[in-house]
Amino acid sequence: MSIRFYLPKDAASLALGADRVARALTRAAAARGLDATLVRTGSRGMLWLEPMLEVETPEGRIAYGPVRPGDIESLLDAGLAEGGAHRLRIGRPEDQSYFARQQRLTFGRCGVIDPASVEDYRAHGGYRGLEAALAAGPAGTVEAVKASGLRGRGGAGFPTGIKWNTVMLAQAEQKYVVCNADEGDSGTFADRMLMEGDPLTLIEGMTIAAVAVGATRGYIYCRSEYPHAFAALEIAIAAAERAGYLGANVMGSGHAFHLEVRLGAGAYICGEETSLLESLEGKRGLVRAKPPIPALKGLFGQPTLVNNVLSFAAVPWIMEHGGPAYAAYGMGRSLGTLPIQLAGNVKRGGLIETAFGLTLREVIEDFGGGTASGRPLRAVQVGGPLGAYFPESLLDTPLDYEAFAAKKGLLGHGGIVVFDDTVDLARQARFAFEFCVAESCGKCTPCRIGAVRGLETIDKVLAGESPRENLALVTDLCEVMTDGSLCAMGGLTPVPVMSALTHFPEDFSGRGAKLPLAAE
Amino acid sequence: MSGRDLGRVSGYESWDAERAAGIIAGHAHREGATLPILHALQETFGYVDTAAVPLIAEALNLSRAEVHGCLTFYHDFRKEPAGRHTVKLCRAEACQAVGADALHEDVLRRYDVAWHGTTRDGQVTVEPVFCLGLCACGPAALVDGEPVGRLDLDTLADALTERAA
């Protein structure tokens, strides 16, 4: 019988040499006359073990990692094909505590299946959600999403079912379903991993949405920084079309749904839903004032359902298992699971999908194993570049939208970035302004000019120029940006700045004439 | 050297208005075609020549100002040719947490280049990028579109050598 090997082609795995490992394995297997097949999958999310090679055995898939090309010969000598003993042998991925402690509802297939194969997807439960949705009808589908308690996983946490209901009830000739795949937040990579490792889950979720709200056209707006995700989506869409899951007659239901993936062009602001719509329309990504909300007047002025990758991708599971089953996970009003992304200066970085409610400390210490540098942890930024810097004393905050808001932070897209004690929080605050200068769309004054003035003023503080007066000015400016900006870019840039000032004041006082790094 | 490479060493075609018009016509029927067109032009020529602006405007029934606004708004689009290889270095926080800032200073010094600049021999263009989604294996980069993790000066040099081979 043919030996089946599995190796990710997830971008993080590629970044650590997966393609070189694949070439070495293919070459060595051929030289030894082995009858072997290599399936390229997504990643299981234990990124410190990548490239992680798996082999199918009677005991299940046995993993080895991190594998370098030079390890292949010794692995084969050790009986890799039968799951033999080797210093890189990990065992079954599912038995790893990092993995076993997770609740993988959305990411259940990621790293397991061939992302380009509809057949493989179906063999692992794919398209059962769409079948259930077609049976339930639009109103029944929207009810199930409402009952699940699913909130938008893009950051704002708006109840998904309510949004779907609004678009469903809107009257129009043409409605759209748009996926916001412009995940630009530092520390987040769940969208990328899902799009590369299990794109059909996203496609199925969007198809369910289209049927529910009565949309016949859909777009996935994928950021250009993710070229591999873009390619994986194009392949998966074509495969779904060929199999009759997209196109003029979805699964023979009479519903039409045409889906296309569009490439962004390096503008962070296009992750804001109205900017994204402008960009899809072929314009500069300038934020629109709301109302009108996109659900009523979105793409090309038509009712448009805009959701994040993870929101759509949660839906197939919800439709297959029912809304209440999903709502059984989580805490408070944060129901279901959150794909947590653990990154930065951490020993075991990766993707962890669990119910809401774990504390930051549990994630960083139990899963992450502390800092990669071995130095003490000093700060954690959660929720991307617009998220707060938390000190060690706030690590017991549970991952829950409301709990984070209570500590003046935001959970956002669930990205956790760990910093050790070498971090300079005044410099991080400076970077928040610098980022806003580079990425503001420029439409509203508080964001466009506030960021520039903020950067100048922080530089004065860094140079030791009247720090007290200039910090007062920064605080004042942050208030104006928070209250007066049109969207979250200007409105939330003060969050990292003020959290740095509040929790790490010692980094801002007593600065000498030290000059900031020349950035641009 | 293949015919496609005759115009420039980088493997891109030389700017050609007729060729550009053909590319534009191929996408003009799409909803909101501006970005797909700009991407297709850059993929072919390595940059978007400003001479393309009136061609796009005419094909999409837009004003030149609208097209120019779009071309200049997005960080991806280049208005002049880049070097033979493009290195996009991640400047976002997760990479900063593992020493990206210091590494970038070293890279810029080693290759004697500024952000967005090209080395004197025309080999390498260095661009900043905010997050490649490789946050658990930083510092990260894209070298000619291929991801590189745990980047240092040596792995960058290796990646460039590998691309050149």
Side-chain angles (χ1 to χ4, degrees):
Chain A
M1 211 188 94
S2 174
I3 308 159
R4 287 178 82 79
F5 293 114
Y6 300 86
L7 183 71
K9 61 173 177 181
D10 175 276
S13 191
L14 295 178
L16 299 170
D19 273 348
R20 286 195 297 277
V21 172
R23 284 195 292 273
L25 178 64
T26 309
R27 211 166 31 230
R32 291 171 187 237
L34 293 178
D35 174 19
T37 313
L38 176 60
V39 181
R40 301 302 295 271
T41 62
S43 169
R44 302 257 196 174
M46 295 183 282
L47 293 172
W48 74 100
L49 293 175
E50 294 289 0
M52 189 169 94
L53 177 64
E54 296 177 32
V55 62
E56 206 157 78
T57 76
E59 293 82 52
R61 276 156 69 163
I62 301 297
Y64 297 81
V67 177
R68 294 183 211 304
D71 298 321
I72 293 295
E73 289 294 341
S74 75
L75 279 165
L76 287 169
D77 289 345
L80 170 70
E82 295 84 40
H86 188 278
R87 66 181 167 84
L88 297 178
R89 190 181 192 276
I90 293 158
R92 286 166 22 112
E94 298 84 358
D95 296 338
Q96 299 306 301
S97 66
Y98 197 93
F99 199 91
R101 289 184 60 188
Q102 300 186 34
Q103 284 136 338
R104 290 214 161 197
L105 309 189
T106 300
F107 277 82
R109 283 176 289 257
C110 192
V112 177
I113 64 165
D114 173 354
S117 164
V118 174
E119 204 175 84
D120 210 1
Y121 181 65
R122 285 201 48 135
H124 287 82
Y127 280 116
R128 282 187 206 149
L130 178 58
E131 279 166 21
L134 288 170
T141 301
V142 171
E143 274 316 306
V145 174
K146 273 190 193 164
S148 73
L150 179 66
R151 293 167 71 175
R153 294 290 187 262
F158 188 81
T160 304
I162 292 177
K163 205 190 252 188
W164 285 35
N165 198 48
T166 308
V167 182
M168 180 180 73
L169 295 177
Q171 297 296 319
E173 283 292 301
Q174 177 73 62
K175 295 183 198 174
Y176 292 97
V177 170
V178 170
C179 174
N180 182 346
D182 195 340
E183 162 191 72
D185 287 353
S186 167
T188 63
F189 44 84
D191 290 5
R192 181 189 63 63
M193 285 188 56
L194 188 92
M195 291 189 286
E196 291 174 0
D198 190 13
L200 286 163
T201 293
L202 168 60
I203 293 167
E204 183 185 351
M206 290 184 75
T207 310
I208 293 169
V211 170
V213 305
T216 53
R217 296 191 73 86
Y219 290 99
I220 301 171
Y221 186 91
C222 177
R223 59 199 303 261
S224 63
E225 292 83 350
Y226 289 178
H228 298 75
F230 180 80
L233 287 168
E234 287 208 308
I235 290 167
I237 287 172
E241 276 172 2
R242 279 196 304 275
Y245 290 100
L246 284 175
N249 187 9
V250 171
M251 283 184 93
S253 65
H255 290 279
F257 184 52
H258 301 277
L259 182 61
E260 187 185 330
V261 50
R262 282 285 171 91
L263 197 57
Y268 174 79
I269 193 63
C270 291
E272 195 283 331
E273 64 174 353
T274 62
S275 292
L276 183 152
L277 294 172
E278 291 283 307
S279 186
L280 266 180
E281 291 181 7
K283 303 172 193 157
R284 286 184 289 159
L286 297 189
V287 171
R288 292 179 188 169
K290 287 192 274 194
I293 55 171
L296 297 174
K297 215 167 174 306
L299 190 61
F300 301 108
Q302 302 300 317
T304 303
L305 179 69
V306 187
N307 276 152
N308 183 266
V309 173
L310 299 179
S311 318
F312 280 125
V315 170
W317 193 95
I318 291 169
M319 292 315 297
E320 184 186 348
H321 301 272
Y326 191 78
Y329 294 90
M331 71 174 276
R333 293 198 291 122
S334 302
L335 300 180
T337 59
L338 175 71
I340 300 160
Q341 300 121 91
L342 184 55
N345 195 333
V346 66
K347 212 170 267 164
R348 294 193 297 268
L351 179 107
I352 303 149
E353 182 181 354
T354 73
F356 284 90
L358 279 185
T359 66
L360 269 176
R361 192 184 303 280
E362 286 174 300
V363 175
I364 295 167
E365 291 177 3
D366 299 355
F367 285 89
T371 62
S373 61
R375 300 180 65 96
L377 175 148
R378 179 139 186 266
V380 181
Q381 188 182 32
V382 184
L386 310 177
Y389 287 97
F390 276 5
E392 213 271 345
S393 59
L394 288 182
L395 287 191
D396 294 313
T397 309
L399 296 166
D400 163 276
Y401 291 110
E402 280 69 39
F404 262 69
K407 307 283 187 203
K408 290 190 178 12
L410 55 129
L411 191 48
H413 195 4
I416 299 175
V417 176
V418 178
F419 293 83
D420 72 11
D421 64 348
T422 59
V423 66
D424 177 344
L425 271 301
R427 203 168 287 289
Q428 296 308 120
R430 179 190 193 276
F431 179 77
F433 280 128
E434 189 190 351
F435 183 70
C436 191
V437 171
E439 298 297 336
S440 170
C441 84
K443 182 157 176 170
C444 75
T445 315
C447 178
R448 181 183 68 245
I449 295 177
V452 175
R453 292 284 289 127
L455 183 59
E456 287 169 6
T457 314
I458 287 268
D459 273 346
K460 287 181 188 165
V461 175
L462 284 162
E465 194 180 314
S466 319
R468 192 184 299 269
E469 291 75 6
N470 278 314
L471 283 177
L473 196 55
V474 167
T475 307
D476 196 22
L477 188 62
C478 282
E479 214 169 289
V480 173
M481 288 177 74
T482 305
D483 295 343
S485 298
L486 207 49
C487 83
M489 176 93 229
L492 297 180
T493 291
V495 173
V497 175
M498 291 310 297
S499 62
L501 253 171
T502 307
H503 301 303
F504 305 92
E506 63 276 21
D507 285 15
F508 293 83
S509 58
R511 314 271 318 193
K514 216 169 125 189
L515 286 172
L517 283 170
E520 298 279 330
Chain B
M1 197 181 252
S2 74
R4 200 170 168 270
D5 292 334
L6 284 177
R8 283 165 26 80
V9 288
S10 59
Y12 292 113
E13 296 175 32
S14 296
W15 165 253
D16 179 278
E18 210 172 301
R19 175 95 168 91
I23 291 166
I24 293 165
H27 292 279
H29 66 281
R30 298 170 73 178
E31 291 186 323
T34 325
L35 259 66
I37 287 173
L38 292 171
H39 274 301
L41 291 173
Q42 182 148 308
E43 218 167 86
T44 306
F45 303 113
Y47 72 109
V48 182
D49 199 287
T50 44
V53 171
L55 301 178
I56 299 169
E58 196 182 333
L60 301 184
N61 196 24
L62 296 170
S63 72
R64 290 179 187 199
E66 283 169 303
V67 178
H68 174 80
C70 213
L71 175 60
T72 51
F73 180 85
Y74 296 97
H75 298 305
D76 278 2
F77 300 126
R78 267 183 228 112
K79 289 174 286 302
E80 48 200 57
R84 193 180 175 90
H85 302 289
T86 306
V87 175
K88 290 178 189 264
L89 297 171
C90 178
R91 291 197 55 215
E93 290 89 340
C95 284
Q96 291 172 19
V98 284
D101 285 347
L103 171 68
H104 296 165
E105 280 186 62
D106 290 346
V107 170
L108 298 178
R109 202 178 307 118
R110 159 83 70 93
Y111 292 90
D112 190 20
V113 71
W115 288 116
H116 302 284
T118 301
T119 52
R120 243 171 263 160
D121 61 6
Q123 285 295 310
V124 183
T125 298
V126 180
E127 294 178 340
V129 61
F130 293 110
C131 198
L132 297 168
L134 304 171
C135 320
C137 51
L142 276 187
V143 178
D144 292 339
E146 287 307 315
V148 184
R150 297 191 194 122
L151 189 80
D152 59 28
L153 283 174
D154 292 339
T155 52
L156 176 59
D158 288 349
L160 284 167
T161 312
E162 199 178 309
R163 305 295 309 169

